[in-house]
Short mmCIF file of all heavy atoms in Angstrom, two decimals:
data_model
loop_
_atom_site.label_atom_id
_atom_site.label_comp_id
_atom_site.label_asym_id
_atom_site.label_seq_id
_atom_site.Cartn_x
_atom_site.Cartn_y
_atom_site.Cartn_z
N LEU P 459 74.67 42.66 60.64
CA LEU P 459 73.75 42.44 59.52
C LEU P 459 73.62 40.95 59.20
O LEU P 459 74.63 40.28 58.93
CB LEU P 459 74.25 43.18 58.27
CG LEU P 459 73.50 42.87 56.97
CD1 LEU P 459 72.05 43.36 57.03
CD2 LEU P 459 74.22 43.49 55.77
N MET P 460 72.38 40.44 59.24
CA MET P 460 72.06 39.09 58.78
C MET P 460 70.74 39.14 58.02
O MET P 460 70.14 40.21 57.88
CB MET P 460 71.99 38.13 59.97
CG MET P 460 73.34 37.90 60.65
SD MET P 460 73.29 36.66 61.98
CE MET P 460 72.53 37.65 63.26
N HIS P 461 70.30 38.00 57.52
CA HIS P 461 69.06 37.95 56.74
C HIS P 461 68.25 36.72 57.15
O HIS P 461 68.80 35.60 57.15
CB HIS P 461 69.37 37.87 55.24
CG HIS P 461 70.16 39.04 54.72
ND1 HIS P 461 71.51 39.15 54.91
CD2 HIS P 461 69.76 40.17 54.07
CE1 HIS P 461 71.93 40.29 54.36
NE2 HIS P 461 70.89 40.92 53.85
N ASP P 462 66.96 36.93 57.49
CA ASP P 462 66.13 35.78 57.88
C ASP P 462 65.39 35.22 56.67
O ASP P 462 64.22 34.85 56.75
CB ASP P 462 65.16 36.15 59.01
CG ASP P 462 64.24 37.29 58.67
OD1 ASP P 462 64.67 38.23 57.96
OD2 ASP P 462 63.08 37.28 59.14
N ILE P 463 66.12 35.11 55.56
CA ILE P 463 65.59 34.47 54.35
C ILE P 463 66.48 33.32 53.89
O ILE P 463 66.15 32.63 52.94
CB ILE P 463 65.41 35.47 53.19
CG1 ILE P 463 66.74 36.13 52.84
CG2 ILE P 463 64.36 36.52 53.54
CD1 ILE P 463 66.70 36.97 51.57
N HIS P 464 67.63 33.13 54.59
CA HIS P 464 68.55 32.06 54.23
C HIS P 464 68.53 30.98 55.30
O HIS P 464 68.83 31.27 56.47
CB HIS P 464 69.98 32.60 54.09
CG HIS P 464 70.13 33.72 53.11
ND1 HIS P 464 69.69 33.63 51.82
CD2 HIS P 464 70.66 34.97 53.26
CE1 HIS P 464 69.96 34.77 51.19
NE2 HIS P 464 70.53 35.60 52.04
N PRO P 465 68.22 29.74 54.97
CA PRO P 465 68.23 28.65 55.96
C PRO P 465 69.57 28.52 56.67
O PRO P 465 69.62 28.19 57.85
CB PRO P 465 67.91 27.40 55.13
CG PRO P 465 67.12 27.92 53.96
CD PRO P 465 67.72 29.27 53.64
N SER P 466 70.65 28.82 55.95
CA SER P 466 71.98 28.70 56.57
C SER P 466 72.16 29.70 57.70
O SER P 466 72.91 29.45 58.66
CB SER P 466 73.07 28.92 55.50
OG SER P 466 72.83 30.12 54.77
N THR P 467 71.47 30.84 57.64
CA THR P 467 71.53 31.80 58.73
C THR P 467 70.85 31.25 59.97
O THR P 467 71.36 31.40 61.09
CB THR P 467 70.88 33.14 58.31
OG1 THR P 467 71.56 33.64 57.16
CG2 THR P 467 70.94 34.16 59.43
N ALA P 468 69.70 30.62 59.78
CA ALA P 468 69.03 29.97 60.91
C ALA P 468 69.88 28.84 61.47
O ALA P 468 69.90 28.61 62.69
CB ALA P 468 67.67 29.44 60.47
N ASP P 469 70.59 28.13 60.59
CA ASP P 469 71.50 27.07 61.04
C ASP P 469 72.62 27.64 61.91
O ASP P 469 73.05 27.02 62.89
CB ASP P 469 72.12 26.35 59.84
CG ASP P 469 71.10 25.58 59.01
OD1 ASP P 469 70.02 25.27 59.54
OD2 ASP P 469 71.39 25.30 57.84
N ALA P 470 73.09 28.84 61.55
CA ALA P 470 74.24 29.43 62.23
C ALA P 470 73.87 30.00 63.59
O ALA P 470 74.72 30.08 64.50
CB ALA P 470 74.85 30.53 61.36
N LEU P 471 72.65 30.41 63.77
CA LEU P 471 72.28 31.24 64.92
C LEU P 471 72.48 30.57 66.28
O LEU P 471 72.99 31.24 67.20
CB LEU P 471 70.84 31.71 64.76
CG LEU P 471 70.43 32.95 65.57
CD1 LEU P 471 71.39 34.11 65.31
CD2 LEU P 471 69.01 33.36 65.22
N PRO P 472 72.09 29.33 66.50
CA PRO P 472 72.28 28.75 67.85
C PRO P 472 73.74 28.82 68.33
O PRO P 472 74.00 29.23 69.47
CB PRO P 472 71.80 27.30 67.67
CG PRO P 472 70.80 27.38 66.57
CD PRO P 472 71.36 28.39 65.61
N GLN P 473 74.67 28.45 67.46
CA GLN P 473 76.08 28.50 67.87
C GLN P 473 76.57 29.93 68.01
O GLN P 473 77.33 30.26 68.92
CB GLN P 473 76.95 27.76 66.84
CG GLN P 473 78.44 27.73 67.19
CD GLN P 473 78.71 27.12 68.55
OE1 GLN P 473 78.27 26.00 68.83
NE2 GLN P 473 79.41 27.85 69.43
N LEU P 474 76.11 30.83 67.13
CA LEU P 474 76.51 32.23 67.21
C LEU P 474 76.06 32.86 68.53
O LEU P 474 76.84 33.56 69.19
CB LEU P 474 75.91 33.02 66.04
CG LEU P 474 76.20 34.52 66.02
CD1 LEU P 474 77.70 34.79 65.98
CD2 LEU P 474 75.49 35.19 64.85
N LEU P 475 74.83 32.58 68.93
CA LEU P 475 74.33 33.12 70.20
C LEU P 475 75.12 32.57 71.38
O LEU P 475 75.45 33.31 72.33
CB LEU P 475 72.84 32.80 70.35
CG LEU P 475 71.91 33.55 69.39
CD1 LEU P 475 70.52 32.92 69.40
CD2 LEU P 475 71.82 35.02 69.75
N THR P 476 75.44 31.30 71.32
CA THR P 476 76.25 30.69 72.40
C THR P 476 77.62 31.35 72.47
O THR P 476 78.12 31.68 73.56
CB THR P 476 76.40 29.18 72.15
OG1 THR P 476 75.11 28.57 72.19
CG2 THR P 476 77.29 28.55 73.21
N SER P 477 78.25 31.56 71.32
CA SER P 477 79.59 32.17 71.28
C SER P 477 79.56 33.60 71.81
O SER P 477 80.47 34.02 72.55
CB SER P 477 80.13 32.16 69.84
OG SER P 477 80.27 30.83 69.37
N LEU P 478 78.54 34.35 71.45
CA LEU P 478 78.42 35.73 71.92
C LEU P 478 78.21 35.77 73.44
O LEU P 478 78.81 36.60 74.14
CB LEU P 478 77.27 36.44 71.21
CG LEU P 478 77.50 36.77 69.73
CD1 LEU P 478 76.19 37.21 69.07
CD2 LEU P 478 78.55 37.86 69.57
N GLU P 479 77.40 34.85 73.95
CA GLU P 479 77.16 34.79 75.39
C GLU P 479 78.45 34.43 76.13
O GLU P 479 78.73 34.98 77.22
CB GLU P 479 76.06 33.78 75.70
CG GLU P 479 74.67 34.27 75.33
CD GLU P 479 73.60 33.20 75.52
OE1 GLU P 479 73.95 31.99 75.56
OE2 GLU P 479 72.43 33.57 75.61
N GLU P 480 79.22 33.54 75.56
CA GLU P 480 80.47 33.13 76.20
C GLU P 480 81.45 34.29 76.30
O GLU P 480 82.30 34.34 77.20
CB GLU P 480 81.10 31.97 75.43
CG GLU P 480 80.33 30.66 75.59
CD GLU P 480 80.87 29.55 74.72
OE1 GLU P 480 81.71 29.85 73.81
OE2 GLU P 480 80.47 28.38 74.90
N ARG P 481 81.31 35.25 75.39
CA ARG P 481 82.18 36.44 75.45
C ARG P 481 81.54 37.56 76.28
O ARG P 481 82.06 38.66 76.35
CB ARG P 481 82.46 36.96 74.04
CG ARG P 481 83.38 36.08 73.23
CD ARG P 481 83.94 36.86 72.05
NE ARG P 481 84.65 36.01 71.11
CZ ARG P 481 85.22 36.46 69.99
NH1 ARG P 481 85.14 37.76 69.69
NH2 ARG P 481 85.83 35.63 69.17
N GLY P 482 80.39 37.28 76.87
CA GLY P 482 79.78 38.24 77.79
C GLY P 482 78.83 39.23 77.14
O GLY P 482 78.46 40.23 77.78
N TYR P 483 78.42 38.97 75.90
CA TYR P 483 77.51 39.89 75.21
C TYR P 483 76.05 39.63 75.59
O TYR P 483 75.64 38.49 75.81
CB TYR P 483 77.64 39.75 73.69
CG TYR P 483 78.89 40.37 73.12
CD1 TYR P 483 79.97 39.57 72.74
CD2 TYR P 483 78.98 41.75 72.96
CE1 TYR P 483 81.12 40.13 72.21
CE2 TYR P 483 80.14 42.32 72.42
CZ TYR P 483 81.20 41.50 72.04
OH TYR P 483 82.34 42.07 71.53
N GLN P 484 75.29 40.72 75.64
CA GLN P 484 73.83 40.64 75.76
C GLN P 484 73.24 41.16 74.45
O GLN P 484 73.65 42.22 73.96
CB GLN P 484 73.34 41.48 76.94
CG GLN P 484 71.82 41.44 77.12
CD GLN P 484 71.35 42.31 78.27
OE1 GLN P 484 72.14 42.70 79.13
NE2 GLN P 484 70.07 42.64 78.28
N MET P 485 72.29 40.42 73.89
CA MET P 485 71.68 40.77 72.61
C MET P 485 70.48 41.68 72.83
O MET P 485 69.51 41.30 73.50
CB MET P 485 71.28 39.53 71.84
CG MET P 485 72.43 38.88 71.07
SD MET P 485 73.85 38.40 72.10
CE MET P 485 73.22 36.95 72.95
N VAL P 486 70.53 42.90 72.28
CA VAL P 486 69.50 43.90 72.48
C VAL P 486 69.03 44.44 71.13
O VAL P 486 69.58 44.11 70.08
CB VAL P 486 70.02 45.05 73.37
CG1 VAL P 486 70.42 44.54 74.74
CG2 VAL P 486 71.18 45.79 72.69
N THR P 487 68.02 45.32 71.18
CA THR P 487 67.51 45.91 69.94
C THR P 487 68.35 47.13 69.56
O THR P 487 69.06 47.71 70.39
CB THR P 487 66.05 46.35 70.09
OG1 THR P 487 65.97 47.42 71.04
CG2 THR P 487 65.18 45.19 70.55
N VAL P 488 68.22 47.53 68.31
CA VAL P 488 68.92 48.73 67.84
C VAL P 488 68.47 49.96 68.61
O VAL P 488 69.28 50.80 69.00
CB VAL P 488 68.69 48.93 66.32
CG1 VAL P 488 69.19 50.31 65.88
CG2 VAL P 488 69.39 47.84 65.52
N SER P 489 67.16 50.08 68.85
CA SER P 489 66.65 51.25 69.58
C SER P 489 67.24 51.35 70.98
O SER P 489 67.48 52.45 71.49
CB SER P 489 65.12 51.20 69.65
OG SER P 489 64.57 51.49 68.39
N GLN P 490 67.47 50.21 71.62
CA GLN P 490 68.08 50.25 72.94
C GLN P 490 69.51 50.77 72.87
O GLN P 490 69.95 51.53 73.74
CB GLN P 490 68.06 48.85 73.57
CG GLN P 490 66.69 48.43 74.06
CD GLN P 490 66.70 47.03 74.64
OE1 GLN P 490 66.84 46.05 73.92
NE2 GLN P 490 66.55 46.93 75.96
N LEU P 491 70.24 50.37 71.82
CA LEU P 491 71.60 50.89 71.66
C LEU P 491 71.58 52.40 71.41
O LEU P 491 72.36 53.14 72.00
CB LEU P 491 72.30 50.19 70.49
CG LEU P 491 72.87 48.80 70.74
CD1 LEU P 491 73.63 48.33 69.50
CD2 LEU P 491 73.79 48.77 71.96
N LEU P 492 70.70 52.85 70.53
CA LEU P 492 70.63 54.27 70.21
C LEU P 492 70.27 55.09 71.45
O LEU P 492 70.78 56.19 71.65
CB LEU P 492 69.62 54.52 69.09
CG LEU P 492 69.94 53.89 67.73
CD1 LEU P 492 68.88 54.27 66.70
CD2 LEU P 492 71.32 54.28 67.24
#
Side-chain angles (χ1 to χ4, degrees):
L459 171 66
M460 292 184 283
H461 300 79
D462 58 325
I463 59 171
H464 304 307
S466 51
T467 301
D469 293 340
L471 201 53
Q473 182 56 54
L474 177 59
L475 291 167
T476 297
S477 298
L478 289 168
E479 287 174 340
E480 289 174 348
R481 290 197 189 179
Y483 285 103
Q484 180 182 343
M485 278 58 74
V486 299
T487 66
V488 169
S489 287
Q490 285 178 290
L491 281 185
L492 296 183

